[in-house]
Amino acid sequence: MSVICTREDNFAVYYTEDGTINFTGEKAIWSGVLGQEGSQKVMFNFPEDVIPTHIRFDLGFNKEQGDITVEKFKLDYYGKSFEAKGSDFLKYFIQNDSVKTEINEVNGTITILKNPKGFSPPFYYPHQALLDEISKITN
C-alpha cells in the first residue's frame, strides 16, 4: 500500500483462511512505517502457502499518530492483482465503531480521534466487496 504517515508507527494485517472473521495474533503480518511527509510503500507479505479469505487492517499503534492518508492499496497473488484508490477505502473496509476515526473519502485521509478513556488502535474489517476481490485473484 502507499501511505502518507507523519509519525513512525506499525501497521498490521490480520487474516483468516477459514471464511470467518475470527482474527488472532497467530495470523498477523506487521510492517513498520516511517514518519515522513511524503508517500511511502508499506508491504505485507503473506506466507507462501496462505490463501486468505478475510483481511482486517489495523493502523495507528502510535498514540500520538496524526492523520494517515491511504493513497492506494493493492493485493497481488501469483500474477493476479487488485488495486484500489485510498479514496475507495470504505468501499472495501468497514470502520470499527468502537474506535473513533474520521475518514475523508475524497483523499483517503484517516484521522484518529482522541478518546479520553484511553487509546485503542483503529482497525477495519473487510467489506463484502473486498472479499469478492480476494476471491477473484485467488481462484
Side-chain angles (χ1 to χ4, degrees):
M1 65 186 332
S2 293
V3 300
I4 298 172
C5 185
T6 58
R7 292 191 173 95
E8 188 175 313
D9 214 330
N10 287 294
F11 293 176
V13 169
Y14 287 75
Y15 63 92
T16 62
E17 299 173 272
D18 61 2
T20 71
I21 57 169
N22 298 326
F23 299 106
T24 65
E26 292 82 41
K27 293 187 177 186
I29 303 164
W30 293 84
S31 185
V33 181
L34 302 173
Q36 62 186 42
E37 295 296 324
S39 181
Q40 63 183 293
K41 288 187 179 182
V42 181
M43 302 287 289
F44 300 96
N45 294 312
F46 290 87
E48 192 169 314
D49 60 340
V50 167
I51 301 174
T53 56
H54 288 68
I55 296 172
R56 187 183 91 187
F57 181 54
D58 293 33
L59 64 107
F61 286 85
N62 180 342
K63 294 178 185 178
E64 302 303 318
Q65 188 57 264
D67 292 352
I68 298 167
T69 301
V70 177
E71 296 178 306
K72 66 180 177 179
F73 57 95
K74 182 177 181 180
L75 301 172
D76 287 314
Y77 185 76
Y78 290 102
K80 295 182 183 178
S81 65
F82 159 72
E83 186 172 330
K85 299 178 296 183
S87 58
D88 290 336
F89 187 80
L90 289 180
K91 291 180 182 176
Y92 299 101
F93 291 95
I94 300 167
Q95 185 172 354
N96 174 8
D97 290 335
S98 67
V99 180
K100 299 297 181 198
T101 60
E102 290 178 353
I103 298 178
N104 180 325
E105 293 184 46
V106 173
N107 64 9
T109 300
I110 301 169
T111 302
I112 303 166
L113 303 177
K114 303 294 182 204
N115 183 345
K117 295 180 182 177
F119 176 79
S120 293
F123 56 93
Y124 300 86
Y125 283 100
H127 200 287
Q128 184 61 49
L130 180 65
L131 304 179
D132 293 344
E133 293 298 338
I134 291 171
S135 180
K136 285 179 192 176
I137 65 172
T138 58
N139 289 323

